[in-house]
Amino acid sequence: MAEKTSDRTEEVAEYYDGVGELVEVVGGNLHLGYWDDDQDDTPFLEAMSRLTWMVAERLALRPGERLLDVGCGVAEPAMRLVERLGISVSGITVSRWEVQQATADVARAGLSGKISISWADAAALPFSNEEFDAALAFDSVPNSPDKQKWFGEIFRVLRPGGRVVYSEYPAIADMTAAQREVLRANTVPDPPTSMDEAVAPAVSAGFEVLEGLDCSDRVRRFYTAFLQRFADQRADLSAAYGKDRIDAFESGITQMFELCREKIGYYLIVCRKPSGVGSTTI
Ligand SMILES: C[S@@+](CC[C@H](N)C(=O)[O-])C[C@H]1O[C@@H](n2cnc3c(N)ncnc32)[C@H](O)[C@@H]1O
């Protein structure tokens, strides 16, 4: 029987609440990193920032414009985008821990006038039609139990001509039922199996596709690098947050990332709401 959207979203919220402070391991970023080729020796955190800059370029925003960040984590990408692009951002997440932490981090950075963070479900956005110049869903669409609803909502709140930039985690090899369950338990319920499938919910919401970039081979190193980084910090993390919590997290994330390294790719997708198309739903 199909699960109710709200139950799945609640599970996602619990997952990110549970990760909580461990986001410090990745410098506040909850997305992958990008390396140009196998010889590229860019350090881990820099490779994560590089993916943020790739997203920034594709948003095509001008200073003063407004961005909706769907699934903003602890607002690390939002803060970097505000500094680089001179925009303002409304970030939403379903994790109450992230809302608190992101709000505190944004205030500490002196960016409260530019970034507001709130609890909201991407399937029911608490914003008016055509309120935003662009939208970003950076490694959050894979969490969605109803991508059609998410893109319908993003389409509604974007102005005509506005872009949405998002990433997807496609399945690039066959998976067993047990492996699919590992993905689902780690907030990835429904990976697409091709670029066509990855853009389909955006296209049926009315978006036109400007770019579909397959970065699978350029991000794969992230999984091994993360697990190494976590192992290097294990003793300090155990002292700070308790050995049981760290052991449980490490065992779950190792199973997930070993599977992702083998069977999950990465797409960066840019779409535009056609000019001259209004939003009719509320
Ligand atoms: C992998 S994290 C990415 C965070 C951030 N974009 C970044 O790059 O650091 C996924 C984010 O999506 C959020 N999310 C998942 N489902 C959501 C939903 N239904 N509505 C709003 N946010 C959601 C999670 O709470 C989390 O903040």
Side-chain angles (χ1 to χ4, degrees), residues 37 41 60 84 127 146 186 192 208 213 246:
D37 54 40
D41 60 1
R84 177 164 286 208
F127 301 109
D146 190 338
N186 285 277
E208 56 193 28
L213 189 65
I246 296 308

mmCIF file of all heavy atoms in Angstrom, residues 37 41 60 84 127 146 186 192 208 213 246:
data_model
loop_
_atom_site.group_PDB
_atom_site.id
_atom_site.type_symbol
_atom_site.label_atom_id
_atom_site.label_comp_id
_atom_site.label_asym_id
_atom_site.label_seq_id
_atom_site.Cartn_x
_atom_site.Cartn_y
_atom_site.Cartn_z
ATOM 1 N N ASP A 37 38.409 15.722 -12.715
ATOM 2 C CA ASP A 37 38.783 14.433 -13.308
ATOM 3 C C ASP A 37 39.508 13.623 -12.237
ATOM 4 O O ASP A 37 39.633 14.073 -11.093
ATOM 5 C CB ASP A 37 39.669 14.640 -14.557
ATOM 6 C CG ASP A 37 40.883 15.507 -14.262
ATOM 7 O OD1 ASP A 37 41.470 15.337 -13.172
ATOM 8 O OD2 ASP A 37 41.240 16.356 -15.095
ATOM 9 N N ASP A 41 43.130 17.068 -7.467
ATOM 10 C CA ASP A 41 43.333 16.806 -6.045
ATOM 11 C C ASP A 41 42.712 17.886 -5.154
ATOM 12 O O ASP A 41 43.177 18.158 -4.050
ATOM 13 C CB ASP A 41 44.826 16.620 -5.743
ATOM 14 C CG ASP A 41 45.616 17.867 -6.123
ATOM 15 O OD1 ASP A 41 44.987 18.848 -6.584
ATOM 16 O OD2 ASP A 41 46.849 17.859 -5.949
ATOM 17 N N ALA A 60 21.428 32.148 -12.704
ATOM 18 C CA ALA A 60 21.313 33.360 -13.536
ATOM 19 C C ALA A 60 20.548 34.460 -12.811
ATOM 20 O O ALA A 60 19.623 35.062 -13.366
ATOM 21 C CB ALA A 60 20.636 33.015 -14.871
ATOM 22 N N ARG A 84 27.911 35.790 -2.716
ATOM 23 C CA ARG A 84 28.454 35.859 -4.082
ATOM 24 C C ARG A 84 27.539 36.616 -5.037
ATOM 25 O O ARG A 84 28.020 37.349 -5.904
ATOM 26 C CB ARG A 84 28.695 34.450 -4.622
ATOM 27 C CG ARG A 84 29.185 34.479 -6.052
ATOM 28 C CD ARG A 84 29.800 33.199 -6.525
ATOM 29 N NE ARG A 84 31.116 32.953 -5.978
ATOM 30 C CZ ARG A 84 32.069 32.240 -6.588
ATOM 31 N NH1 ARG A 84 31.859 31.727 -7.773
ATOM 32 N NH2 ARG A 84 33.230 32.030 -6.021
ATOM 33 N N PHE A 127 3.936 30.238 0.181
ATOM 34 C CA PHE A 127 4.318 31.471 -0.523
ATOM 35 C C PHE A 127 3.282 31.782 -1.600
ATOM 36 O O PHE A 127 2.570 30.880 -2.070
ATOM 37 C CB PHE A 127 5.704 31.305 -1.167
ATOM 38 C CG PHE A 127 6.799 30.995 -0.180
ATOM 39 C CD1 PHE A 127 7.395 29.737 -0.133
ATOM 40 C CD2 PHE A 127 7.235 31.958 0.727
ATOM 41 C CE1 PHE A 127 8.388 29.435 0.786
ATOM 42 C CE2 PHE A 127 8.237 31.673 1.651
ATOM 43 C CZ PHE A 127 8.821 30.410 1.684
ATOM 44 N N ASP A 146 6.806 12.770 -3.519
ATOM 45 C CA ASP A 146 5.847 13.175 -4.552
ATOM 46 C C ASP A 146 6.446 14.344 -5.355
ATOM 47 O O ASP A 146 6.142 15.512 -5.126
ATOM 48 C CB ASP A 146 4.514 13.578 -3.901
ATOM 49 C CG ASP A 146 3.419 13.779 -4.935
ATOM 50 O OD1 ASP A 146 3.742 14.013 -6.126
ATOM 51 O OD2 ASP A 146 2.246 13.704 -4.566
ATOM 52 N N ASN A 186 17.301 5.796 3.915
ATOM 53 C CA ASN A 186 18.192 6.962 3.950
ATOM 54 C C ASN A 186 17.618 8.100 3.103
ATOM 55 O O ASN A 186 18.366 8.863 2.479
ATOM 56 C CB ASN A 186 19.588 6.572 3.474
ATOM 57 C CG ASN A 186 20.330 5.771 4.528
ATOM 58 O OD1 ASN A 186 20.916 6.326 5.443
ATOM 59 N ND2 ASN A 186 20.265 4.456 4.430
ATOM 60 N N PRO A 192 15.191 8.182 -10.086
ATOM 61 C CA PRO A 192 14.883 8.024 -11.506
ATOM 62 C C PRO A 192 15.929 7.098 -12.130
ATOM 63 O O PRO A 192 16.986 6.873 -11.542
ATOM 64 C CB PRO A 192 15.032 9.442 -12.063
ATOM 65 C CG PRO A 192 15.997 10.108 -11.129
ATOM 66 C CD PRO A 192 15.772 9.499 -9.773
ATOM 67 N N GLU A 208 10.379 24.238 -18.934
ATOM 68 C CA GLU A 208 11.187 23.785 -20.062
ATOM 69 C C GLU A 208 12.600 23.508 -19.548
ATOM 70 O O GLU A 208 13.091 24.196 -18.655
ATOM 71 C CB GLU A 208 11.183 24.813 -21.200
ATOM 72 C CG GLU A 208 11.625 26.200 -20.815
ATOM 73 C CD GLU A 208 11.293 27.228 -21.897
ATOM 74 O OE1 GLU A 208 10.329 27.034 -22.640
ATOM 75 O OE2 GLU A 208 12.011 28.252 -21.939
ATOM 76 N N LEU A 213 22.833 17.953 -16.911
ATOM 77 C CA LEU A 213 24.256 17.618 -16.881
ATOM 78 C C LEU A 213 24.453 16.343 -16.061
ATOM 79 O O LEU A 213 24.051 16.297 -14.892
ATOM 80 C CB LEU A 213 24.996 18.795 -16.234
ATOM 81 C CG LEU A 213 26.506 18.804 -16.259
ATOM 82 C CD1 LEU A 213 27.029 18.907 -17.689
ATOM 83 C CD2 LEU A 213 27.019 20.004 -15.425
ATOM 84 N N ILE A 246 27.598 7.944 17.378
ATOM 85 C CA ILE A 246 28.550 8.001 16.258
ATOM 86 C C ILE A 246 28.661 6.641 15.566
ATOM 87 O O ILE A 246 28.653 6.558 14.336
ATOM 88 C CB ILE A 246 29.935 8.496 16.767
ATOM 89 C CG1 ILE A 246 29.802 9.936 17.273
ATOM 90 C CG2 ILE A 246 31.000 8.387 15.691
ATOM 91 C CD1 ILE A 246 29.162 10.904 16.291
#
